[in-house]
Amino acid sequence: MNAEIIAVGSELLLGQINNTNARYLSAQLAGIGVNVYYHTVVGDNPDRVKKALEIADKRSELIIFTGGLGPTKDDLTKETIAKHLGVELAMDEDAMSSIEAYFSRNNRVMTDNNKKQALVLKGSQVLKNDNGMAPGMLYSKDSHHYMLLPGPPFEMEPMFAAYGIPAIMAKMEQQAKIVSRVLRFFGIGEAALETRLEDLIESQSNPTIAPLASESEVTIRLTAMHESEAAAISLIDEMEAKIMERVGHHLYGYDDTSLMLELSKLLKAKGMAVAAAESLTGGMFQQEMTSLPGASGLFKGGVVCYTNEAKINMLQVKKETIDEYGAVSEQCARELAENAARLLGADIGISFTGVAGPDELEGHPAGTVFIGIHMNGKPARVEKLLLSGSRGINRTRAVKYGCHLLINSLKG
Amino acid sequence: MNAEIIAVGSELLLGQINNTNARYLSAQLAGIGVNVYYHTVVGDNPDRVKKALEIADKRSELIIFTGGLGPTKDDLTKETIAKHLGVELAMDEDAMSSIEAYFSRNNRVMTDNNKKQALVLKGSQVLKNDNGMAPGMLYSKDSHHYMLLPGPPFEMEPMFAAYGIPAIMAKMEQQAKIVSRVLRFFGIGEAALETRLEDLIESQSNPTIAPLASESEVTIRLTAMHESEAAAISLIDEMEAKIMERVGHHLYGYDDTSLMLELSKLLKAKGMAVAAAESLTGGMFQQEMTSLPGASGLFKGGVVCYTNEAKINMLQVKKETIDEYGAVSEQCARELAENAARLLGADIGISFTGVAGPDELEGHPAGTVFIGIHMNGKPARVEKLLLSGSRGINRTRAVKYGCHLLINSLKG
């Protein structure tokens, strides 16, 4: 199946935002064996949307639109496609109730233009919007499939993952089954990983091997195609075994997971809870930990000890420790981890102290980070990192390293 | 002049990178009064590049290509365009010397395929590459202008700014100035905003009025065009005044800013510092506050009091308060804000307690949030919110509301 992604929105053509939706959808579609041959961006203009649609009709089977499903007058994607296809728009009762519920929950009065959001192409499969009002939809006609998705990424991405992909897979003519598996690595760069796997990557055929780097992590997507699903899985298993022989100690998980999620699973299995002391990371570790539902059993709380006073007053770090070694030190990290666990009644204490940047601190260059991990009443183990990113990247990487170290400590 | 940007590169269609070049070029072109009507992305495939070019020829006067100018076999943009236009490729001596100089500076031996980079469309205006090897070029034929730019943003952006824009402006017949201004609103939905401004939006011409919704925020971009820049600014000023009369109390900033950045500016101006107590937001407020460089002067630290024990032990909330009113209560929010400020020695204390979801808590539905703000030694003011998003969205919105309330409190 060949696909094209059409983003509708003048803000894209004015350079106000990046078309991150096209990137997200392309990566997802690659994973299920759909070839994306074109991205198009067009403004909120019915004539030009219509022309883009006519062009796409000639060259693509699956046409995915993002944007233009909202309540305002310049949201015209649905209307333009309906006219082009000669289909009516009909009120979707479920979507309407969910929009009404949204307003009543928020004690807000619904303006009439919001009703427009509940209109769908008559005969389409409606895709629920769990994070907003406008539903998505998939409409099929004459071997063409038209999927309409909302523009805001925080609505579009979960909708596509939960409802869009299954809907597309159901439409794919499946002589062959496509099976895909993502291996997730931490602590090895993309170039190093590729070098270790160079011969496998060069001679790839079935499964395909697609490495992709993101912030501090590298993934490899294995995709196999076979008439039998079991045989496709076997092909992937065999290739995974070869990869694991070489870089297996860097693997931390499969498919849709994260270091924090893997950490949570381990904590739950062991019935242990964490407390945190964060200086340079400013609450990022705790924020991520509490972003998972059910965090309360695994997390006792913590302190964002951004100043030396907070370290001393809230976490009882000895003033002498800071005077003698500084706040950016192994000694400080150790006391922070141990005291956080004790004061918050947790099995495990983790601490982050260091220099996010851009400026140096206490004579340490930006990127210097100490992570302390205190567990089972033993003196905290401290790791020193020397990172080299921007302020934001150093903070993010420090948090990921913290998760990684905790995972390894829990695995023993 | 109407423009289209065609990015050539299979990595874009596989979702490996965002098409940031299209965003950069669009913003730059808007600044000189060129209307960008389409972005296209096409893979490293001569047939599909040719077809994209044929389509662009029919609808755009200025066609800007990015990518595919490098030394490898899949770099085929130049060759495809040359064939389509019936123009020869010729060696550009300046580009060739600069490529040779590049290799000798780096003590590397030049492989033959690098010479390909010095080929340009015969008769084109060559655009120098100050940060890489492949030159850009502008070729004009039959009222069409074709600009070819390298793909890597760190080569493309300086080339376009230094040589691309002047080359385009020289081709433009009239040089109307375009001025754009973004107004940022919080606490009003996109539909409600549009309803209040309906007549202005319907009768818009110059400036244009473009509303855009993102997470909990709405922006309006005003864009005016005039031969005189001062006159364009006046047109925007007049329209802004009309908008402000109706929804001015929701405006929090202009252009590239955020609620947290505006809050930081106000804190800095008043020489005040914040401490935080976060329950449901789990450190998100503090993480965002510390993401800005220079946060240490404005932020004393805080506690992630995810459990009742942490509220009592770390922030001295009275046990009776939690027993009588619960942790999700006005009373608890008040004590948290006041005690955070006191214990951390801050001028301002802010607290977040509530139910992120998905489950209810203490009989309160998911989305119930109490935000306490303590300032100037007065009893904390507490606001109750009833949000209706997912767990993640409720947490994000709570933090934005917190910033918004703090901004309003600081403004008095």
Side-chain angles (χ1 to χ4, degrees):
Chain A
M1 192 186 270
N2 298 336
E4 169 159 4
I5 298 165
I6 303 181
V8 182
S10 299
E11 66 277 13
L12 291 157
L13 297 178
L14 284 163
Q16 213 175 338
I17 53 171
N18 276 317
N19 187 8
T20 59
N21 286 340
R23 179 187 178 177
Y24 174 84
L25 291 169
S26 297
Q28 295 290 315
L29 290 166
I32 58 168
V34 173
N35 300 313
V36 178
Y37 282 155
Y38 297 96
H39 296 171
T40 301
V41 178
V42 61
D44 301 309
N45 173 296
D47 278 348
R48 287 194 285 272
V49 171
K50 182 170 176 283
K51 281 179 193 158
L53 181 50
E54 286 165 0
I55 290 167
D57 259 345
K58 286 186 200 135
R59 64 190 185 186
S60 309
E61 296 158 89
L62 171 63
I63 304 168
I64 302 186
F65 290 84
T66 58
L69 303 186
T72 71
K73 289 219 172 57
D74 64 358
D75 291 311
L76 41 76
T77 304
K78 245 172 357 197
E79 292 72 7
T80 307
I81 296 173
K83 210 167 160 188
H84 174 77
L85 296 175
V87 188
E88 274 173 53
L89 288 172
M91 183 68 65
D92 182 67
E93 293 306 331
D94 290 344
M96 193 63 223
S97 329
S98 122
I99 292 169
E100 281 165 351
Y102 179 92
F103 278 93
S104 87
R105 264 202 313 278
N106 287 285
N107 289 318
R108 281 167 53 192
V109 178
M110 189 175 95
T111 52
D112 258 2
N113 50 3
N114 280 291
K115 289 185 187 159
K116 170 172 173 316
Q117 296 187 95
L119 294 174
V120 298
L121 293 169
K122 207 170 173 176
S124 65
Q125 176 182 351
V126 177
L127 311 175
K128 220 169 132 235
N129 189 337
D130 293 328
N131 297 284
M133 289 190 277
M137 66 206 81
L138 177 63
Y139 184 85
S140 298
K141 186 183 177 183
D142 305 337
S143 84
H144 279 73
H145 307 289
Y146 305 86
M147 182 172 277
L148 283 66
L149 298 169
F154 68 95
E155 298 181 19
M156 188 282 286
E157 294 182 9
M159 178 188 290
F160 188 72
Y163 311 115
I165 286 188
I168 290 168
M169 290 185 82
K171 298 285 181 189
M172 288 168 76
E173 284 171 30
Q174 292 182 350
Q175 292 100 0
K177 297 277 180 194
I178 291 174
V179 177
S180 203
R181 183 182 303 161
V182 176
L183 314 184
R184 309 189 80 97
F185 298 89
F186 185 81
I188 183 169
E190 188 187 18
L193 188 88
E194 265 193 54
T195 304
R196 303 282 291 278
L197 305 178
E198 199 168 11
D199 54 323
L200 299 179
I201 292 172
E202 293 223 328
S203 61
Q204 64 175 298
S205 60
N206 190 18
T208 56
I209 306 173
L212 181 63
S214 66
E215 250 175 296
S216 330
E217 296 187 28
V218 191
T219 60
I220 291 180
R221 181 182 284 271
L222 302 176
T223 307
M225 206 182 283
H226 200 280
E227 282 167 38
S228 130
E229 190 171 352
I233 291 171
S234 289
L235 287 169
I236 287 183
D237 286 341
E238 284 162 31
M239 183 54 78
E240 182 187 332
K242 284 184 198 164
I243 292 171
M244 295 303 282
E245 264 176 37
R246 305 186 191 183
V247 291
H249 55 293
H250 290 290
L251 182 105
Y252 78 83
Y254 294 94
D255 297 320
D256 253 342
T257 187
S258 66
L259 284 160
M260 191 56 90
L261 192 60
E262 294 299 315
L263 171 58
S264 302
K265 286 186 210 159
L266 270 172
L267 289 170
K268 196 173 268 173
K270 300 203 172 235
M272 292 173 94
V274 173
E278 296 188 68
S279 183
L280 87 152
T281 50
M284 193 186 277
F285 175 86
Q286 299 173 78
Q287 191 274 111
E288 281 192 24
M289 176 144 245
T290 56
S291 70
L292 305 172
S296 55
L298 318 171
F299 177 60
K300 292 284 185 183
V303 175
V304 179
C305 47
Y306 210 64
T307 59
N308 288 349
E309 292 68 40
K311 292 181 184 73
I312 294 167
N313 297 336
M314 301 299 289
L315 282 166
Q316 304 183 0
V317 171
K318 294 195 209 86
K319 191 172 172 302
E320 305 86 78
T321 304
I322 290 178
D323 287 345
E324 189 166 344
Y325 303 104
V328 182
S329 67
E330 189 182 329
Q331 289 78 3
C332 184
R334 182 169 297 123
E335 287 186 38
L336 284 171
E338 293 176 0
N339 297 358
R342 180 168 46 82
L343 292 167
L344 285 140
D347 310 291
I348 299 168
I350 184 167
S351 68
F352 299 85
T353 184
V355 194
D359 301 323
E360 58 159 39
L361 186 69
E362 297 180 354
H364 299 282
T368 309
V369 181
F370 291 90
I371 300 177
I373 292 181
H374 167 72
M375 200 182 289
N376 304 325
K378 289 182 206 149
R381 167 187 159 205
V382 178
E383 293 272 341
K384 182 180 181 179
L385 312 177
L386 291 169
L387 306 173
S388 58
S390 64
R391 179 181 175 85
I393 287 174
N394 287 340
R395 283 158 45 101
T396 306
R397 288 201 181 144
V399 168
K400 292 200 178 189
Y401 268 101
C403 289
H404 184 60
L405 292 170
L406 254 183
I407 288 172
N408 287 348
S409 301
L410 284 164
K411 284 185 176 165
Chain B
M1 192 186 272
N2 298 336
E4 169 159 3
I5 298 165
I6 302 180
V8 182
S10 299
E11 67 278 13
L12 291 157
L13 297 178
L14 286 164
Q16 280 166 351
I17 52 168
N18 277 317
N19 187 8
T20 59
N21 285 342
R23 178 186 180 180
Y24 173 84
L25 291 169
S26 297
Q28 295 290 315
L29 290 166
I32 56 166
V34 173
N35 300 312
V36 177
Y37 282 154
Y38 297 95
H39 296 171
T40 300
V41 178
V42 62
D44 301 309
N45 172 297
D47 277 348
R48 288 194 285 274
V49 171
K50 182 170 177 280
K51 281 180 192 157
L53 181 50
E54 285 165 0
I55 290 168
D57 259 345
K58 286 186 198 133
R59 63 191 187 187
S60 308
E61 295 158 88
L62 170 63
I63 305 168
I64 301 185
F65 290 84
T66 59
L69 303 186
T72 72
K73 287 212 176 61
D74 63 357
D75 290 310
L76 42 77
T77 303
K78 247 172 354 198
E79 292 72 8
T80 309
I81 296 173
K83 210 167 161 189
H84 173 76
L85 297 175
V87 187
E88 274 174 53
L89 288 172
M91 184 67 66
D92 182 68
E93 293 306 330
D94 289 344
M96 194 61 226
S97 328
S98 125
I99 292 170
E100 283 165 349
Y102 179 92
F103 277 92
S104 87
R105 259 202 318 277
N106 289 284
N107 290 319
R108 281 167 53 194
V109 178
M110 190 174 97
T111 53
D112 258 4
N113 52 2
N114 281 291
K115 288 183 189 162
K116 168 172 173 320
Q117 296 186 94
L119 293 174
V120 298
L121 294 168
K122 207 169 172 176
S124 65
Q125 177 181 351
V126 178
L127 310 174
K128 216 167 134 239
N129 190 339
D130 293 328
N131 298 281
M133 289 188 279
M137 66 206 82
L138 177 63
Y139 184 85
S140 298
K141 184 182 178 184
D142 305 338
S143 84
H144 279 72
H145 308 289
Y146 305 86
M147 183 173 276
L148 283 66
L149 298 168
F154 68 93
E155 297 182 20
M156 188 281 287
E157 294 182 8
M159 179 189 290
F160 188 72
Y163 312 114
I165 287 188
I168 291 169
M169 289 184 82
K171 301 282 182 191
M172 288 167 73
E173 286 165 18
Q174 50 152 32
Q175 301 196 0
K177 297 281 178 193
I178 288 196
V179 178
S180 204
R181 183 182 303 162
V182 176
L183 315 183
R184 308 189 81 97
F185 298 89
F186 184 81
I188 183 169
E190 188 188 13
L193 188 87
E194 196 176 304
T195 304
R196 303 281 292 278
L197 306 178
E198 198 168 10
D199 54 323
L200 299 179
I201 292 172
E202 294 223 325
S203 61
Q204 65 175 295
S205 60
N206 191 18
T208 56
I209 307 174
L212 178 67
S214 66
E215 249 172 298
S216 329
E217 297 188 26
V218 191
T219 60
I220 292 180
R221 179 183 282 270
L222 302 176
T223 306
M225 202 184 288
H226 200 282
E227 281 167 40
S228 130
E229 190 171 352
I233 291 172
S234 288
L235 287 169
I236 287 184
D237 285 341
E238 283 163 31
M239 183 55 76
E240 183 187 332
K242 283 183 198 165
I243 292 171
M244 294 303 283
E245 264 176 37
R246 304 185 190 182
V247 291
H249 55 294
H250 290 289
L251 182 105
Y252 79 82
Y254 293 93
D255 298 318
D256 256 343
T257 187
S258 67
L259 284 160
M260 192 56 91
L261 193 59
E262 293 299 315
L263 171 57
S264 302
K265 286 187 211 158
L266 271 173
L267 288 170
K268 196 171 269 178
K270 298 201 174 238
M272 292 174 95
V274 173
E278 295 189 67
S279 183
L280 86 151
T281 49
M284 193 186 277
F285 176 86
Q286 298 173 79
Q287 192 274 110
E288 282 192 25
M289 178 145 243
T290 56
S291 71
L292 304 172
S296 55
L298 318 171
F299 176 60
K300 291 285 185 182
V303 175
V304 179
C305 47
Y306 211 62
T307 60
N308 288 349
E309 292 68 39
K311 292 181 183 73
I312 294 167
N313 297 337
M314 301 298 289
L315 282 166
Q316 303 183 0
V317 172
K318 293 195 209 85
K319 189 170 175 302
E320 304 88 78
T321 303
I322 290 178
D323 289 345
E324 189 166 343
Y325 302 104
V328 182
S329 67
E330 187 182 330
Q331 289 78 3
C332 183
R334 183 169 296 124
E335 287 186 36
L336 284 170
E338 293 175 1
N339 298 357
R342 181 169 44 83
L343 291 167
L344 286 141
D347 311 292
I348 299 168
I350 184 168
S351 68
F352 297 85
T353 183
V355 194
D359 302 323
E360 58 160 40
L361 187 70
E362 297 179 354
H364 299 283
T368 309
V369 180
F370 291 91
I371 300 177
I373 292 181
H374 168 71
M375 200 181 286
N376 303 324
K378 289 183 204 147
R381 166 187 161 205
V382 179
E383 292 274 340
K384 182 178 181 179
L385 312 176
L386 292 167
L387 306 173
S388 59
S390 65
R391 179 180 174 85
I393 287 172
N394 286 340
R395 284 158 44 101
T396 306
R397 289 200 179 143
V399 168
K400 291 200 179 190
Y401 268 101
C403 289
H404 185 61
L405 292 172
L406 254 183
I407 289 171
N408 287 347
S409 301
L410 284 164
K411 285 185 174 165

